[in-house]
Amino acid sequence: MSDGDYDYLIKFLALGDSGVGKTSLLYQYTDDKFNSKFITTVGIDFREKRVVYRANGPDGISGRGQRIHLQLWDTAGQERFRSLTTAFFRDAMGFLLLFDLTNEQSFLNVRNWLSQLQTHAYCENPDIVLCGNKSDLEDQRTVKEEEAKELAEKYGIPYFETSAANGANVSKAVETLLDLIMKRMERNLGKDKYQQNFIRASALH
Amino acid sequence: MGDKPIWEQIGSSFVQHYYQLFDTDRTHLGAIYIDASCLTWEGQQFQGKAAIVEKLSSLPFQKIQHSITAQDHQPTPDSCILSMVVGQLKADEDPIMGFHQMFLLKNINDAWVCTNDMFRLALHNFG
């Protein structure tokens, strides 16, 4: 899986309060499975997936496919014991910010996560996709879709209602984030520190 | 069967008491510290009973369970006891994590108190 046969290595971080379903969502994305029991975290715990990215050219014709090696990182739950440090955010190019649609507090904390991201991420306006997770638990929902959309709009980030349990919108959320990253790279290619970050991350492998 | 050295007995009963308090009601942990006590929690320093209790009480989890894997105890030249604990913990519904903790215990007026306490999660790849 980790052989060097790809064009880009891209690292994403899943963030959000404990219990919102970060691990399950990543698991659903990489393995198309939902594990309702918790997955014990031993050593390095990131998930990987290979995807092919096709950018649409200005003429609307699809360009050559680029082979992307996606690394999806999760926390181990250490944020309960200390605040996450800059080192944790290092080399992450995109962020999946999750809250739980059945847990109002996790939605209120989205603002805190966004401000942490501004402090620790490689730049002040990193690419983020907001996910309201557990959309399958409709009868337990406490966060309205409009409220979440409003917040996402205010911060200028895409919003999806996802379900790690049935897979709804999970791929779409990750692919939207990848699309944002690839577009940013095309814009910035070769000219700023984003590119250097990117090269550094690739060299890690 | 020979008795365990006294520092082993004191150290291990302290450790048992400490985690039992921590897991049931950590706001009561003040009883084991004094105003000169130091706590280093994940690199963050606290001094004094009040500051330590406030830190431990305000940790953002409802439930916590500690499981001790191993513990070692030594007597120090100034009659204190140095203890090291390696274990695992589970906070609320989070994944199980390893941790290390060290205590320096001192006998003051016939009671053992903790003068120094250092805690770290055993995580190596999460920054």
Side-chain angles (χ1 to χ4, degrees), chain A residues 49-90:
Chain A
K49 185 156 170 153
R50 285 292 175 87
V51 293
V52 174
Y53 176 80
R54 287 180 203 284
N56 282 323
D59 49 3
I61 299 162
S62 200
R64 179 181 81 85
Q66 284 166 322
R67 292 161 306 168
I68 310 289
H69 186 84
L70 267 185
Q71 259 188 11
L72 301 139
W73 286 67
D74 188 2
T75 73
Q78 72 271 38
E79 64 273 24
R80 304 225 206 210
F81 293 83
R82 57 165 134 112
S83 43
L84 295 173
T85 58
T86 301
F88 177 72
F89 293 85
R90 187 176 297 149

Side-chain angles (χ1 to χ4, degrees), chain A residues 14-26 34-35 74-75 77 79-80 96-110 113 130-137 143 160-165 170, chain B residues 92-95:
Chain A
L15 296 172
D17 284 9
S18 296
V20 298
K22 300 185 290 287
T23 307
S24 300
L25 185 119
L26 297 184
F34 175 65
N35 193 338
D74 188 2
T75 73
E79 64 273 24
R80 304 225 206 210
L96 288 162
L97 177 50
L98 276 75
F99 67 92
D100 174 352
L101 288 166
T102 71
N103 175 348
E104 177 104 43
Q105 191 58 45
S106 73
F107 176 63
L108 297 174
N109 287 342
V110 163
W113 284 106
L130 182 65
C131 300
N133 195 36
K134 307 195 186 177
S135 66
D136 53 296
L137 303 178
V143 181
F160 294 99
E161 303 217 320
T162 56
S163 166
V170 170
Chain B
D92 292 337
E93 295 310 310
D94 278 357

Side-chain angles (χ1 to χ4, degrees), chain B residues 11-31:
Chain B
S12 58
S13 40
F14 171 82
V15 163
Q16 193 196 352
H17 181 59
Y18 175 88
Y19 292 108
Q20 199 194 336
L21 270 181
F22 203 113
D23 292 358
T24 50
D25 187 357
R26 58 187 186 278
T27 59
H28 291 163
L29 281 169

Side-chain angles (χ1 to χ4, degrees), chain B residues 12-90:
Chain B
S12 58
S13 40
F14 171 82
V15 163
Q16 193 196 352
H17 181 59
Y18 175 88
Y19 292 108
Q20 199 194 336
L21 270 181
F22 203 113
D23 292 358
T24 50
D25 187 357
R26 58 187 186 278
T27 59
H28 291 163
L29 281 169
I32 63 154
Y33 296 102
I34 57 172
D35 287 337
S37 296
C38 291
L39 166 69
T40 306
W41 184 271
E42 282 288 317
Q44 228 188 332
Q45 302 219 14
F46 302 88
Q47 189 172 18
K49 188 196 283 256
I52 293 172
V53 172
E54 197 200 329
K55 172 63 186 175
L56 297 178
S57 306
S58 67
L59 290 166
F61 40 76
Q62 304 303 312
K63 280 183 305 181
I64 183 155
Q65 288 169 270
H66 289 83
S67 160
I68 307 307
T69 307
Q71 47 182 309
D72 296 301
H73 309 279
Q74 286 182 352
T76 71
D78 58 346
S79 308
C80 291
I81 296 170
L82 183 62
S83 299
M84 182 181 85
V85 176
V86 173
Q88 290 181 307
L89 56 79
K90 179 167 159 70

